[in-house]
Amino acid sequence: MSKKYLSLALAISAVSVAQAGTVTTDGEDLVINTESGIEVKTSDDAASFQLGGRIQWDYDATQSDDNGVDTKDFDVRRARLYVKGHYGDWAYKTQFNVAESDGADGGDVEDLYIRYLGFGSVASVTIGKQKEPFGLEALTSSKDISALERSAMTERYAPGRSGGIQLSGKGSNWTYGVGYFEADGDGSNDFNSTAITARGSFAPILTNEAVVHLGAGYSSRDADVQADEVDIYNLELAGRMGPFHAQAEYFDSEEGQLDIDGYYVQLGWVITGESRPYKAGVFKRIKPSSPKGAWEVIARFEEGDGKYSDVGLATTDGEQTTLGVNYYANKNVRLGLSYMDGEEANGKSGDEVRARFQYAF
């Protein structure tokens, strides 16, 4: 643990910055922006450099008598630092885990890529380790999702991050991405098995008060054995009306001779009246409009073949219900509490209580 807490100390020191204001130097034409993390850029926006990250401390109590699980833990869920920027038509991002409780060690790479921006917003090319373009919840940052943990469906079907090359773009109310990635692992022979993944999103209604979001995704993944090859399909439907928001996703996966599927539906209400921001095909976290902060309640139900490990169950057919409440003290700080209850199709059950303190910058 000493390595983890030493790294955490470095992360905490990085977030001790002012919360607003800009400074323009008299010599070099540089602008320093401390609105979110630390960003330094030239006044003509020809080059930039930004430092940011997140710290998530969780208390987690998971119990499943049927599977002999009874654990209580207080640990770092995620602690990450990133550096990103651009020079001319070229951009980059590096993001590393300082510490992580979900099986990853400090120092593991999350994002590590170079991006070409010369075609404008309608087309950019990204080379390196990055998120594959698949799934609304999967592409929403862990610091922005309303539930403290992603659904068992997203955990089961979404590919996550992989090394590869992606062409992506966006307009005022649409996005797309298509890429060619390694199918599995970080070894020396990853491109022996490859994946093609694509997603598109469209918002037919996009105003300050209301959003309607539609999306679809597909991933075809090779394997050494034909029986292990996978084709995954995804449909997205989401919306926002003032302080109310909702989203749902359906997944279908053909894995060899096996065809499995699942879905989730999530509803949310920002009690204090703020709206959940929406940008470039995903939702962002609540930003309080009052110094007193903002309150949000959410409920989620999911059913089908999923990864129900959060409640101490297996990756199998089942269902799960999540209830949660979030308090956003300001744009950086969030306190969350959730309860999850799941049941496998064979009758085995489990539940989880999770509390989170988050600082994102």
Side-chain angles (χ1 to χ4, degrees), residues 2-12 79 81 97-99 106-107:
S2 59
K3 175 183 176 183
K4 178 186 294 184
Y5 291 118
L6 175 61
S7 301
L8 263 181
L10 297 175
I12 293 171
L81 284 174
N97 288 308
V98 180

Side-chain angles (χ1 to χ4, degrees), residues 55-59 74 142-143 145-148 285-286 288 292-298 323-338 354-360:
I55 302 171
Q56 295 174 341
W57 271 98
D58 280 17
Y59 168 78
F74 180 59
S142 63
K143 65 180 183 290
I145 54 178
S146 291
L148 296 186
R285 67 184 178 276
I286 306 299
K292 296 181 180 180
W295 289 88
E296 176 189 36
V297 292
I298 69 103
L323 300 174
V325 58
N326 297 306
Y327 171 65
Y328 300 88
N330 52 51
K331 66 182 181 180
N332 302 103
V333 176
R334 166 190 178 182
L335 306 178
L337 179 66
S338 71
R354 182 178 294 269
R356 174 169 298 168
F357 179 85
Q358 171 179 293
Y359 192 108

Side-chain angles (χ1 to χ4, degrees), residues 38-41 46-52 81-96 111-117 124-130:
I38 301 175
E39 181 183 20
V40 181
K41 64 180 180 179
S48 68
F49 169 90
Q50 184 174 350
L51 173 68
L81 284 174
Y82 73 79
V83 175
K84 66 178 182 179
H86 82 285
Y87 184 82
D89 291 334
W90 296 91
Y92 65 91
K93 182 177 181 181
T94 63
Q95 179 172 227
F96 295 89
D111 299 294
L112 189 61
Y113 60 73
I114 298 170
R115 176 173 291 163
Y116 179 68
L117 307 172
S124 61
V125 180
T126 305
I127 300 174
K129 188 173 183 181
Q130 59 195 287

Side-chain angles (χ1 to χ4, degrees), residues 192-357:
N192 186 49
S193 298
T194 56
I196 296 175
T197 305
R199 176 195 185 238
S201 73
F202 175 62
I205 299 176
L206 181 56
T207 68
N208 290 334
E209 286 298 317
V211 173
V212 173
H213 164 97
L214 305 173
Y218 170 72
S219 184
S220 178
R221 315 186 74 80
D222 294 336
D224 293 334
V225 180
Q226 188 174 4
D228 295 333
E229 293 180 351
V230 178
D231 289 294
I232 315 170
Y233 305 86
N234 168 244
L235 295 175
E236 310 166 8
L237 174 63
R240 183 196 72 200
M241 178 65 73
F244 301 98
H245 57 85
Q247 65 185 68
E249 292 188 76
Y250 171 76
F251 302 87
D252 183 90
S253 180
E254 298 174 0
E255 304 177 359
Q257 300 300 313
L258 186 65
D259 191 347
I260 59 176
D261 64 357
Y263 71 92
Y264 76 84
V265 178
Q266 178 177 295
L267 304 175
W269 174 36
V270 187
I271 303 171
T272 45
E274 290 86 348
S275 293
R276 193 178 181 200
Y278 175 85
K279 181 180 179 182
V282 296
F283 287 94
K284 303 294 184 179
R285 67 184 178 276
I286 306 299
K287 294 184 179 179
S289 58
S290 165
K292 296 181 180 180
W295 289 88
E296 176 189 36
V297 292
I298 69 103
R300 182 177 67 205
F301 177 77
E302 51 192 314
E303 184 179 27
D305 278 274
K307 184 179 180 180
Y308 297 99
S309 57
D310 285 333
V311 293
L313 301 179
T315 299
T316 185
D317 187 22
E319 63 180 46
Q320 185 168 273
T321 301
T322 303
L323 300 174
V325 58
N326 297 306
Y327 171 65
Y328 300 88
N330 52 51
K331 66 182 181 180
N332 302 103
V333 176
R334 166 190 178 182
L335 306 178
L337 179 66
S338 71
Y339 173 74
M340 303 173 70
D341 181 80
E343 183 177 355
E344 297 180 8
N346 59 17
K348 292 183 178 181
S349 63
D351 59 34
E352 178 200 72
V353 175
R354 182 178 294 269
R356 174 169 298 168
F357 179 85

